[in-house]
Amino acid sequence: MGARRMLLLGPPGAGKGTQALRLVAKFGIPQISTGDMLRGAVAAGTEIGRRAQGYMDRGELVPDSVVIGVAEERLSQGDAESGFVLDGFPRTAAQAEALDALLERMGTKLERCVALVADEDSLVTRLLGRAQIEGRSDDSEDTIRTRMSVYHEQTAPLIDYYRKQEILAEVDGLGSVEEVAKRIEEALS
Ligand code: ADP
């Protein structure tokens, strides 16, 4: 059987969320999106939401201590026992190390990191389009630029981290949802 404990890595707008939902439907495993969980916390006005909001609005990363807690709590729930699709977590070396340590404590490990690859111009165009449709408060042009540079500085180094673990698959993220889904399926089999 193919991998069931997987992670989607890639710059903002690369289609992680869309592809994560396809994997949820295909494998019957939960999507774990720290972005969605943090937006939920902001909307619900929780303490975590209050701590996260400013960073999110500016397009900066929410501090590791906050995000790691959120992700660990979610991964510890029963429905993640037989597999999961991580989407938007980890995003820093510290988060990646915390994830490895947690999975080790749980007696398991990550099986595949799918890195979606796309050029920045296409991504910015996509994100600006999404901004009009979804009205997400962090999809303004300035914030998009910040998120891109944060990605290059803090998250892109994780590609090497997972390459060294020999679980990396790089997948072309440009094309139709269907085409990209097919490439991911191949990378997971
Ligand atoms: P995108 O990948 O399109 O930027 P996300 O929904 O994954 O969107 O994330 C939105 C925002 O939530 C990020 O810009 C950041 O502020 C916060 N966030 C989400 N996941 C993390 C994480 N793992 N670490 C730090 N901040 C995060």
Side-chain angles (χ1 to χ4, degrees), residues 2-7 75 80-84 86 96 98-113 161-162 165-167:
R4 294 179 64 86
R5 292 184 179 80
M6 59 193 86
L7 148 62
L75 276 163
E81 223 164 81
S82 67
F84 49 78
L86 283 167
L99 173 64
D100 282 348
L102 172 72
L103 293 176
E104 198 179 326
R105 288 199 297 280
M106 292 168 67
T108 182
K109 60 186 171 68
L110 202 62
E111 292 160 343
R112 189 77 92 237
C113 168
Y161 181 88
Y162 291 114
Q165 291 193 2
E166 299 181 353
I167 57 168

Side-chain angles (χ1 to χ4, degrees), residues 165-184:
Q165 291 193 2
E166 299 181 353
I167 57 168
L168 178 75
E170 286 182 287
V171 167
D172 180 359
L174 291 180
S176 69
V177 170
E178 214 56 54
E179 283 164 350
V180 177
K182 201 152 170 276
R183 291 177 202 138
I184 293 177

Side-chain angles (χ1 to χ4, degrees), residues 16 34 39 56 60 62 67 88 91 95 130 136 147:
K16 300 183 295 289
T34 42
R39 274 187 291 280
M56 295 177 77
E60 295 166 9
V62 174
V67 177
R91 258 174 156 94
Q95 291 178 20
R130 185 173 82 182
R136 239 174 74 170
R147 279 153 64 208

Side-chain angles (χ1 to χ4, degrees), residues 10-13 16 33-36 38-39 52 55-57 59-64 67 87-92 95 127 130 136 138-139 147:
K16 300 183 295 289
S33 159
T34 42
D36 285 350
L38 292 170
R39 274 187 291 280
Y55 297 100
M56 295 177 77
D57 286 344
E60 295 166 9
L61 293 184
V62 174
D64 285 336
V67 177
D87 159 14
F89 178 90
R91 258 174 156 94
T92 65
Q95 291 178 20
L127 285 167
R130 185 173 82 182
R136 239 174 74 170
D138 62 348
D139 274 344
R147 279 153 64 208

Side-chain angles (χ1 to χ4, degrees), residues 12 52-62 91 137-140 142-151 154:
Q53 182 160 29
Y55 297 100
M56 295 177 77
D57 286 344
R58 291 189 299 272
E60 295 166 9
L61 293 184
V62 174
R91 258 174 156 94
S137 62
D138 62 348
D139 274 344
S140 75
D142 269 0
T143 315
I144 288 170
R145 271 185 226 296
T146 307
R147 279 153 64 208
M148 286 296 172
S149 70
V150 166
Y151 172 79
Q154 305 202 55

